[in-house]
Amino acid sequence: MGAVFTQLYPPRPTFTEKDVPSLVGKVFIVTGGNAGVGLELVKMLYLKGGTVYIAGRSASRIAAEIEAMSAIPTDTPGKLKSLIVDLNDLSTVSPCVSEFLAQESRLDVLWNNAGVAQPPTGAGTSDGIEAIMRINCLGAFLLTKMLLPVLIKTAQSSPGGSVRIVFTSSGIIDMSGPPGGIDLAELVPGNYSKDASRNYSASKAGNWFLASEFDKRIREHGIVSVAQSPGTLRTKGWDRAPWSIKVSMALFMHEPKMGALTELWAGLSPDVKLEDGGRFAIPWGRWHPSPNKEILQSLKTKEEGGTGLAAQFWQWCEEHTKQYANL
């Protein structure tokens, strides 16, 4: 219970935008960066001089936020650019990556910030995959994998551990969800749970699984891959939640900017080292003091005494995204 309490009532942040040095020359991608936590993070990066790509579904919404942010007075304005991608439609990921690579030859940090807690209207597709898992995990997996070459290239000329991939998870994995984080049987089309909260928790455990599995594959290149829970925040993600849940959680909700500080810490804090790859950060920028033991077992291979569930989930993601990798 202590692990839950410390996330609902976090201590004061020790790393804020005031601690971030100039980001001139640095390039970032923030998925879902046109609203909520992502938007607050984009502002912080932009005001420090960074080149920030806002990746999202709506060109008009992104354009509106770029116009609004460009009007903010600052001595070191960065650059704001748009990337169109719909993580519910995996066929849009490859064109998004191509558009980015046509403009940039480096990528310092990828924040996989976008996600959903409730299935969006019309989210079902012919693949039969549960929508929350498709958006939160398959979309983030495919985007990250396709950007690996430019991340690796950037790491070759950057200080070790400064190039990073940040997956957005949630504190819900400490409170509910399938044993071990994910039930692979529920990933079979037509067999997924009808409980949106269970599916959401599974997808957030999946985000940690992916952070850990990417770490195993790219740490040798000097890249840090971590997961983080931004906190319980007043964002539109709660709009479709039952009113009873909204009322019960109201006392624990914080402003989106606080969640952005968690993401900022995971992506830019010097306290995050290369050897921290695969770890789980909690509000407002610190490592989880007592992670879910069943999930920790899932992260370990069978040779390490674990269940190997995270590796199996990686393979599931590979299988269900391979057709979109070279569109």
Side-chain angles (χ1 to χ4, degrees):
M1 190 63 187
V4 174
F5 184 86
T6 191
Q7 294 183 68
L8 293 176
Y9 296 100
R12 293 175 62 86
T14 58
F15 184 83
T16 73
E17 68 272 30
K18 296 178 181 179
D19 300 302
V20 177
S22 171
L23 298 177
V24 174
K26 303 288 188 180
V27 179
F28 311 105
I29 293 177
V30 181
T31 66
N34 63 292
V37 181
L39 178 59
E40 295 296 333
L41 175 62
V42 168
K43 289 178 183 177
M44 295 174 185
L45 301 173
Y46 164 72
L47 294 175
K48 287 292 184 174
T51 296
V52 191
Y53 283 79
I54 304 173
R57 294 176 297 169
S58 172
S60 61
R61 291 179 182 177
I62 294 174
E65 294 300 342
I66 288 178
E67 182 178 1
M69 274 186 279
S70 298
I72 300 175
T74 176
D75 294 331
T76 56
K79 297 177 182 178
L80 296 169
K81 298 189 177 185
S82 172
L83 283 177
I84 305 306
V85 64
D86 181 355
L87 297 180
N88 188 45
D89 180 357
L90 300 181
S91 68
T92 68
V93 176
S94 182
C96 167
V97 173
S98 295
E99 176 67 18
F100 175 78
L101 294 178
Q103 301 177 69
E104 303 292 346
S105 59
R106 70 178 295 123
L107 176 58
D108 293 272
V109 184
L110 166 62
W111 276 277
N112 286 306
N113 165 78
V116 296
Q118 299 286 328
T121 302
T125 67
S126 59
D127 62 13
I129 296 171
E130 194 277 322
I132 297 175
M133 185 63 74
R134 185 192 309 112
I135 295 170
N136 292 357
C137 290
L138 289 183
F141 171 82
L142 180 60
L143 179 65
T144 303
K145 190 174 181 183
M146 296 190 72
L147 287 168
L148 280 185
V150 69
L151 286 162
I152 292 172
K153 180 181 177 182
T154 305
Q156 290 172 348
S157 59
S158 303
S162 63
V163 175
R164 300 179 189 176
I165 301 167
V166 181
F167 285 88
T168 298
S169 186
S170 169
I172 194 174
I173 64 175
D174 282 327
M175 297 178 281
S176 64
I182 290 178
D183 184 341
L184 292 176
E186 292 180 3
L187 300 183
V188 177
N191 196 42
Y192 57 81
S193 171
K194 303 302 181 184
D195 182 346
S197 294
R198 182 179 175 91
N199 293 332
Y200 176 66
S201 179
S203 76
K204 294 292 98 177
N207 288 140
W208 190 6
F209 287 4
L210 293 178
S212 176
E213 289 297 310
F214 270 108
D215 170 65
K216 293 174 182 177
R217 292 161 174 79
I218 62 176
R219 186 186 294 192
E220 65 178 337
H221 297 289
I223 301 173
V224 177
S225 173
V226 296
Q228 57 83 31
S229 169
T232 306
L233 310 166
R234 296 185 184 92
T235 65
K236 291 184 177 180
W238 292 93
D239 286 355
R240 301 180 64 204
W243 69 269
S244 57
I245 294 179
K246 292 180 183 178
V247 171
S248 64
M249 294 303 294
L251 292 175
F252 310 114
M253 288 188 180
H254 304 267
E255 294 305 313
K257 180 179 179 179
M258 300 307 295
L261 292 178
T262 310
E263 298 200 7
L264 190 75
W265 183 86
L268 294 178
S269 173
D271 290 336
V272 177
K273 308 296 185 182
L274 186 60
E275 57 268 25
D276 290 319
R279 296 183 73 178
F280 190 98
I282 60 175
W284 309 116
R286 56 205 167 106
W287 297 120
H288 198 311
S290 53
N292 184 301
K293 293 182 180 180
E294 289 187 347
I295 293 181
L296 289 178
Q297 286 298 103
S298 297
L299 298 176
K300 295 179 181 179
T301 65
K302 291 182 179 179
E303 292 74 17
E304 295 170 325
T307 65
L309 183 57
Q312 294 177 62
F313 181 66
W314 171 280
Q315 291 301 321
W316 181 83
C317 291
E318 285 264 36
E319 179 65 25
H320 287 86
T321 59
K322 62 183 181 182
Q323 62 179 307
Y324 303 101
N326 297 300
L327 293 180

